Amino acid sequence: SLWLVQQHIWLLQCHHVDRVIMTGGAPPTVRIVHSGQACNVEEERYSERVYTIKEGETLELQCLVTGHPRPQIRWTKTAGGASDRESSLHNETLRIQNINRHQGGRYYCKAENGLGSPAIRSIRVDVYYLDDPVITIHQSVGEAKEQFYFERTVFLRCVANSNPPVHYTWRRGREVLSQGSDSGVEIYEPFFTQGETKILKLKNLRPQDYADYTCFSSVRNVCGIEDKSAHFTLSNRTAPPSVKLLLDDPLVVNAGETITLVCVASGGDPHPSLKWMRPDGQQLPRRSVVKGGTLTVPAVAIDDGGVYSCVGSNNVGNPAKKTTTILVRGLRKGRFWITPDPYHNDDNIQIGREVKISCQVEATPPEELQFSWLKNGRPLRSSERMVITHTDTDVSPGTTNLDIIDLKFTDFGTYTCVASLRNGGTPEISIDVNISSTTVPPELTVPRGRSHLIAQEGDTVDLQCLVSGKPKPIILWSRVEESGVAAAATALMPDGSVQTESYDGILRISNVTREMSGTYRCQTSQYNGFNVKPREALIQLVVQFPPAVEPEHTEIRQALGRAFSLTCRLLRAHPARLLRYEWKLGTRLLTVGQFSDQRDDTNYHVRALNREGYGEYTCDITNEAGAGRCTFLVTGKANPPEFYYDTYSALWQSRPRVYGFKLQWTQMEPNAVDRILAYRLGIRQMGQSRWWEQEIPMEGTIQKGELLTYNLTELIKPESYLVRLTPITRYGEGDSTERIITYSGRLPRFLSFNPRTRTQTHTHTHTHRNTNTRTLYLTSDPDSCFCDLSGFYMYIETSRPRLEDDTARLLSPTFNSKSSSVSNNPTYCFAFYYHMYGKHIGALNVFLRQKGQAVTDTLVWSLTGNQGDRWRQAKVKIHPTTAFQMVIEGVRGSGIEGDIAIDDVAIEEGECKDPPPNSDFLPSGAYEPILVFLKVMFDFMTS
């Protein structure tokens, strides 16, 4: 049994591969730890973890995962509702600098590696803040008089946004106001405000109520947030704001001019602040300049027109608001149309019939719009046969009509509609309309052979409608919805619009895609032409595309002599008829064929793979538009190894200036290719360019899930190293995997204890017990242990003839202290788990043995009596001044019911991290198997 303990130490020192079968890898586990500037972290057992942080600080959360293969990590934040947006981050550490209140919420860390269910943990981040309070003054409803506060009830409302809820305190002068301290004052918090508002009610104002009031807001210094305050002076002059505008309303200006809007406060105490704004959250013009109540807009544009409001506020009563409208003079969107005689079904213009010419323009302001008509450049006035009418000036856009009654040959000519503004200052709009024997309504046709177009994806295609007639109208293009499509799902044009205008009848679509297939409609517009029923035509566009296939590219690992099949699947194609397939290996043709209507895939079979069979296989499926290709790279390369990151205490220190690392990995799909003969190990110190390499031979066949271990020694402190592993088969080198080994600064030194006996009246012997046999008969035995994979621990037989106060000791190897002087003693942390349960428990002692001129034993830790049926951890800080050993001593109690066990014994340089609290520790059943730490356990079984 003693040999078993020593064997573990030998494994840590010698360079060979240790192999342990892992059953199917390890599903992921997740733990969230925090760093950064947290105010508080509450561990709520039955609800959630809450991480509290002050606004403006840095949030840093780390997602610690275990699992093999190494899990992929994803951080997400969901605000709460199903419609809330989710943000994600693929990284172990979530870091948010200068966090704001809107970034609070629940953060999730999700880890998955394809084994079992994904592991998910969450933490709620609560961002604390306190805004400056604001005091507002209100008089009771219906009591407003000229003397705003004369013998009236007044409310002082204090509001501050905060998290957590704010606490308010009122002062009048230096006097703290509280409920009941003054019969003329009431203090209350409306329920609906949830503590964010504190109201001071002054009933029937008295002379002493005219004073300075201060509202203090506080969140009780959580997260170091200091209290804030607001002040208000209440007097008999206090009054709500009033404002007035020093300008015309509406203000009519020409484009390009500079306008100045002046707003002044006409009343209010304190003096109101003034602000200019536009409705519905519109921004003020970019060029505008605001100074106090004056708004200046240089070079005003037509789009700058609209409603502007001046708002005055002084926190007394309601804000005052005055509004004005800016009208930027101008003319836009001139259009015309010709209406044939409505009393005839014929759309043509004919002698002896009526014809009407209409002209329409948008004007600002609309009441300044005026029209005039010209015929062949000469002014035209309204007459019995030439009737000119205008719409009302308050109707926009404005329209003028010229009705020609009983058209004569002499009426043929060019008619011009001229639109202008009454006071000038802006260019006119002139629209020419020709009326002659050649003025005919439009006709729309599609060129022969162009009503059904076939294009290939990526082409540029022109859809054309030929329009005849005079004047030639604008053509409107739109898409016809497919049958069965809901009306709400309007088919959009390629540019994303519902309708597109064309002046030449051509719709050009560049880089056409399969989604653009469908029916397109071209139709004449009813403006800038005849006002008749629109003419329209349809064009069918069919976009062909080559077959889409899967897999587009995949890698297949195969060993020599094996059979395998390759499958290429057809997903979609247009046209989907007369499809052919062609298989090749490199440039060598393997087979060709044609798809049947019932098949959507093609297969190629290899009965026995030889060396010439390695390479790139391709399958091309073709139609009239092109080909889709499946590519299969068949290789004998081994898959990459997968490093095992959950090795317990993988680093150790054997000598002061060097450290070791237990490198562990499994082989991904080892049986997919030929047997792995060896691994090429490469190691390079970070910051250096030179690689050191050696081969690690492998005996026998590596099993799936087999954990391989290789110990790296002589690593120099505190350097980090890049390690690369490459599997080797008879095919050659496989895919490599790399990882970085980082020196942590504090490494465990593994302890093997040599059994020694020292008794007062009797001697003890050492034995091993295997916990896998579950032969712990006594009720006082530990129900579990922190054992290694072998499941062994060491105990001392204390049955008869053992007596009370008999002792047994375990001694560690000798360590050389780094002490250079008495005043510079190094610090070490000696840690172990212990289990002491039974009514006859004796004592467990730990001594520091120093080997100076004389050997001295100093008691550094001791515990006696029953500690309960649970595992606990002990950590002891020591300061040796010379070479030293650690001695663990067990003392038999007064009877047979008492066991003492220890496990996980280690010593580290530096201070003890996280000294164990007085709470219970989890039994070993809650931990992953410990793969590196040397487990030593001994049991004093009394009888």
Side-chain angles (χ1 to χ4, degrees):
S1 59
L2 179 58
W3 176 85
L4 283 171
V5 178
Q6 293 171 338
Q7 181 189 43
H8 283 280
I9 301 302
W10 183 82
L11 288 177
L12 294 172
Q13 296 172 344
C14 297
H15 290 270
H16 82 284
V17 176
D18 188 15
R19 298 164 70 162
V20 178
I21 299 296
M22 296 181 63
T23 57
T29 66
V30 170
R31 186 162 57 96
I32 297 177
V33 297
H34 62 86
S35 56
Q37 299 159 317
C39 304
N40 185 35
V41 178
E42 298 180 13
E43 304 288 348
E44 300 183 10
R45 182 176 299 179
Y46 300 108
S47 55
E48 60 187 353
R49 297 180 66 199
V50 181
Y51 181 102
T52 305
I53 189 170
K54 180 180 176 182
E55 188 172 48
E57 301 288 1
T58 297
L59 170 71
E60 189 167 307
L61 301 174
Q62 189 173 7
C63 190
L64 301 182
V65 300
T66 66
H68 187 74
R70 186 68 167 170
Q72 297 294 317
I73 299 174
R74 181 187 182 195
W75 279 101
T76 59
K77 174 182 181 288
T78 306
S83 61
D84 291 331
R85 295 178 60 188
E86 182 185 82
S87 58
S88 62
L89 173 69
H90 295 269
N91 201 348
E92 291 186 2
T93 301
L94 172 69
R95 181 180 174 88
I96 302 176
Q97 291 183 313
N98 194 26
I99 192 170
N100 64 56
R101 64 195 66 181
H102 305 295
Q103 292 172 310
R106 180 171 293 282
Y107 287 83
Y108 295 86
C109 175
K110 178 180 180 181
E112 53 187 338
N113 63 356
L115 299 179
S117 299
I120 302 175
R121 290 292 182 270
S122 68
I123 187 169
R124 181 164 64 85
V125 175
D126 205 1
V127 181
Y128 279 6
Y129 59 91
L130 175 62
D131 291 343
D132 291 327
V134 176
I135 298 176
T136 57
I137 315 300
H138 297 272
Q139 186 182 14
S140 56
V141 178
E143 296 181 352
K145 304 290 183 182
E146 291 184 3
Q147 297 294 328
F148 187 67
Y149 290 112
F150 182 70
E151 294 183 355
R152 293 293 181 264
T153 298
V154 173
F155 299 88
L156 280 71
R157 183 189 301 266
C158 187
V159 181
N161 296 319
S162 72
N163 182 34
V166 68
H167 174 74
Y168 296 96
T169 304
W170 281 100
R171 285 188 184 178
R172 182 172 56 195
R174 296 184 178 181
E175 175 191 6
V176 177
L177 296 176
S178 59
Q179 186 66 33
S181 62
D182 187 331
S183 60
V185 177
E186 291 183 6
I187 303 176
Y188 60 96
E189 299 178 12
F191 176 74
F192 63 86
T193 61
Q194 300 181 357
E196 293 183 356
T197 302
K198 189 83 167 187
I199 295 178
L200 188 67
K201 180 180 180 181
L202 308 178
K203 300 179 292 185
N204 292 327
L205 285 181
R206 305 160 300 176
Q208 63 265 35
D209 292 328
Y210 295 121
D212 293 333
Y213 290 85
T214 304
C215 171
F216 294 92
S217 60
S218 172
V219 289
R220 299 171 178 84
N221 204 38
V222 296
C223 288
I225 299 176
E226 297 180 351
D227 296 351
K228 298 186 177 182
S229 62
H231 307 275
F232 188 86
T233 300
L234 182 65
S235 70
N236 58 3
R237 298 184 304 277
T238 302
S242 60
V243 297
K244 64 179 180 180
L245 301 179
L246 305 181
L247 50 90
D248 296 331
D249 184 30
L251 181 62
V252 181
V253 298
N254 292 321
E257 294 180 353
T258 297
I259 61 172
T260 301
L261 309 182
V262 179
C263 176
V264 297
S266 57
D269 188 290
H271 187 75
S273 62
L274 303 176
K275 179 180 180 181
W276 281 98
M277 56 195 307
R278 300 184 71 179
D280 301 326
Q282 297 181 64
Q283 298 294 321
L284 295 174
R286 290 186 178 181
R287 306 172 305 282
S288 60
V289 178
V290 179
K291 187 174 182 180
T294 302
L295 170 64
T296 302
V297 183
V300 68
I302 293 179
D303 293 337
D304 296 333
V307 176
Y308 288 74
S309 299
C310 173
V311 179
S313 60
N314 65 352
N315 293 340
V316 179
N318 296 318
K321 182 178 181 180
K322 291 292 184 180
T323 299
T324 187
T325 301
I326 298 177
L327 300 177
V328 182
R329 303 172 74 249
L331 299 172
R332 294 186 299 175
K333 295 184 179 179
R335 293 177 174 180
F336 76 93
W337 57 90
I338 302 170
T339 306
D341 193 332
Y343 298 104
H344 295 80
N345 293 328
D346 190 356
D347 291 338
N348 290 295
I349 296 175
Q350 296 185 13
I351 299 295
R353 293 184 183 178
E354 177 182 341
V355 63
K356 180 167 66 174
I357 306 172
S358 301
C359 180
Q360 187 180 79
V361 175
E362 291 183 5
T364 304
E367 63 271 14
E368 289 191 21
L369 177 62
Q370 57 186 13
F371 289 103
S372 61
W373 285 91
L374 304 175
K375 179 185 177 183
N376 297 327
R378 296 179 179 180
L380 183 66
R381 300 184 182 278
S382 184
S383 63
E384 290 184 358
R385 272 197 337 104
M386 299 281 187
V387 181
I388 299 174
T389 58
H390 308 297
T391 57
D392 293 339
T393 56
D394 58 350
V395 177
S396 183
T399 305
T400 181
N401 300 303
L402 171 61
D403 277 297
I404 304 176
I405 311 299
D406 188 15
L407 182 68
K408 300 182 183 301
F409 181 79
T410 56
D411 294 330
F412 287 165
T414 299
Y415 293 83
T416 304
C417 163
V418 181
S420 61
L421 294 180
R422 187 178 304 114
N423 296 323
T426 187
E428 299 176 336
I429 289 181
S430 297
I431 302 173
D432 293 332
V433 182
N434 185 266
I435 301 295
S436 68
S437 58
T438 60
T439 302
V440 293
E443 293 297 332
L444 199 62
T445 59
V446 177
R448 179 177 298 179
R450 302 287 295 174
S451 60
H452 187 85
L453 299 179
I454 297 177
Q456 294 188 3
E457 224 170 15
D459 290 349
T460 296
V461 60
D462 288 340
L463 282 62
Q464 185 177 18
C465 285
L466 299 177
V467 58
S468 61
K470 187 179 179 182
K472 186 179 291 186
I474 295 174
I475 301 301
L476 303 178
W477 286 93
S478 61
R479 290 184 70 173
V480 179
E481 296 177 6
E482 302 293 334
S483 59
V485 178
T490 303
L492 300 178
M493 297 293 289
D495 62 359
S497 63
V498 176
Q499 194 175 68
T500 301
E501 291 184 352
S502 170
Y503 291 89
D504 58 2
I506 296 177
L507 174 65
R508 173 162 292 180
I509 304 176
S510 300
N511 194 25
V512 66
T513 65
R514 64 194 69 179
E515 290 78 15
M516 298 176 187
S517 294
T519 303
Y520 289 77
R521 176 191 293 115
C522 62
Q523 66 180 32
T524 58
S525 65
Q526 290 182 298
Y527 52 89
N528 292 6
F530 271 72
N531 182 25
V532 294
K533 181 180 179 181
R535 276 57 168 168
E536 68 175 40
L538 300 178
I539 297 178
Q540 183 72 30
L541 175 63
V542 176
V543 179
Q544 294 183 344
F545 53 90
V549 298
E550 70 173 7
E552 292 186 0
H553 190 280
T554 189
E555 187 179 65
I556 297 176
R557 314 260 177 162
Q558 283 292 336
L560 289 170
R562 294 185 186 174
F564 63 94
S565 294
L566 306 177
T567 300
C568 185
R569 286 177 291 277
L570 172 67
L571 301 178
R572 66 192 70 87
H574 191 85
R577 54 184 173 79
L578 301 178
L579 295 170
R580 295 182 58 81
Y581 63 82
E582 181 180 88
W583 284 93
K584 288 184 177 181
L585 172 56
T587 59
R588 180 162 59 94
L589 182 64
L590 300 176
T591 183
V592 296
Q594 185 168 325
F595 272 85
S596 63
D597 295 337
Q598 293 78 26
R599 292 293 301 274
D600 60 358
D601 61 23
T602 173
N603 303 294
Y604 183 76
H605 303 281
V606 177
R607 294 182 179 179
L609 181 64
N610 55 31
R611 285 193 173 273
E612 291 72 25
Y614 287 120
E616 185 176 83
Y617 291 75
T618 58
C619 173
D620 290 332
I621 301 177
T622 59
N623 66 359
E624 298 175 20
R629 170 170 287 189
C630 294
T631 302
F632 306 88
L633 179 61
V634 178
T635 177
K637 292 174 60 176
N639 286 289
E642 296 176 308
F643 282 116
Y644 186 74
Y645 286 84
D646 300 333
T647 304
Y648 188 82
S649 296
L651 281 79
W652 79 90
Q653 178 182 333
S654 55
R655 298 198 308 278
R657 296 182 181 180
V658 298
Y659 68 98
F661 183 84
K662 178 165 282 192
L663 190 69
Q664 294 188 303
W665 71 94
T666 60
Q667 178 61 42
M668 180 191 298
E669 301 297 336
N671 299 321
V673 296
D674 292 313
R675 184 178 74 83
I676 294 175
L677 305 175
Y679 284 94
R680 176 166 289 112
L681 171 67
I683 184 167
R684 175 173 65 83
Q685 184 176 316
M686 299 299 291
Q688 303 292 329
S689 59
R690 184 176 180 181
W691 284 88
W692 296 91
E693 292 187 342
Q694 71 176 89
E695 282 197 3
I696 306 173
M698 301 300 300
E699 299 293 336
T701 301
I702 299 175
Q703 302 300 316
K704 184 175 182 179
E706 185 174 354
L707 185 66
L708 307 174
T709 302
Y710 188 81
N711 296 297
L712 304 175
T713 59
E714 306 302 318
L715 304 178
I716 301 173
K717 292 166 50 178
E719 302 297 335
S720 297
Y721 293 85
L722 180 63
V723 175
R724 182 171 63 205
L725 267 183
T726 307
I728 302 173
T729 65
R730 60 175 175 167
Y731 177 86
E733 290 191 356
D735 291 335
S736 300
T737 300
E738 294 182 349
R739 70 166 294 180
I740 295 176
I741 296 173
T742 303
Y743 175 72
S744 65
R746 297 174 64 185
L747 308 181
R749 304 187 71 166
F750 304 102
L751 306 187
S752 64
F753 284 86
N754 298 316
R756 295 290 184 269
T757 61
R758 181 172 62 86
T759 67
Q760 295 175 352
T761 58
H762 295 83
T763 61
H764 288 195
T765 59
H766 290 75
T767 314
H768 279 79
R769 172 171 290 176
N770 187 326
T771 58
N772 292 334
T773 64
R774 300 299 180 189
T775 56
L776 304 179
Y777 302 113
L778 297 180
T779 58
S780 58
D781 275 346
D783 59 359
S784 59
C785 71
F786 292 80
C787 297
D788 59 10
L789 291 178
S790 67
F792 286 96
Y793 65 90
M794 192 161 53
Y795 70 99
I796 297 175
E797 180 61 56
T798 57
S799 59
R800 289 185 179 89
R802 301 284 75 78
L803 299 176
E804 184 176 1
D805 294 331
D806 280 1
T807 62
R809 285 189 167 191
L810 294 175
L811 278 68
S812 77
T814 299
F815 297 101
N816 292 319
S817 174
K818 296 181 180 180
S819 176
S820 59
S821 65
V822 176
S823 61
N824 186 25
N825 297 336
T827 299
Y828 296 90
C829 182
F830 180 69
F832 60 95
Y833 283 85
Y834 63 90
H835 190 284
M836 302 172 66
Y837 178 53
K839 65 181 181 180
H840 298 145
I841 286 291
L844 181 62
N845 303 317
V846 177
F847 295 89
L848 171 63
R849 172 171 292 182
Q850 300 193 74
K851 298 181 178 181
Q853 294 180 354
V855 177
T856 60
D857 285 354
T858 304
L859 181 65
V860 294
W861 186 91
S862 180
L863 191 63
T864 60
N866 184 3
Q867 303 299 318
D869 188 12
R870 61 185 64 86
W871 282 95
R872 299 175 183 270
Q873 189 184 30
K875 291 187 176 183
V876 185
K877 183 168 64 174
I878 58 174
H879 302 280
T881 59
T882 183
F884 67 95
Q885 288 178 287
M886 299 306 299
V887 181
I888 300 179
E889 178 185 73
V891 181
R892 185 187 188 277
S894 60
I896 63 172
E897 296 183 22
D899 296 337
I900 301 176
I902 63 169
D903 193 14
D904 248 5
V905 184
I907 188 168
E908 296 178 314
E909 289 183 47
E911 300 286 341
C912 291
K913 295 180 181 178
D914 302 324
N918 294 323
S919 58
D920 298 347
F921 281 79
L922 292 174
S924 65
Y927 285 76
E928 294 290 328
I930 298 170
L931 302 176
V932 175
F933 239 64
L934 173 63
K935 302 299 173 284
V936 181
M937 183 175 183
F938 61 94
D939 186 358
F940 300 95
M941 302 184 62
T942 58
S943 60

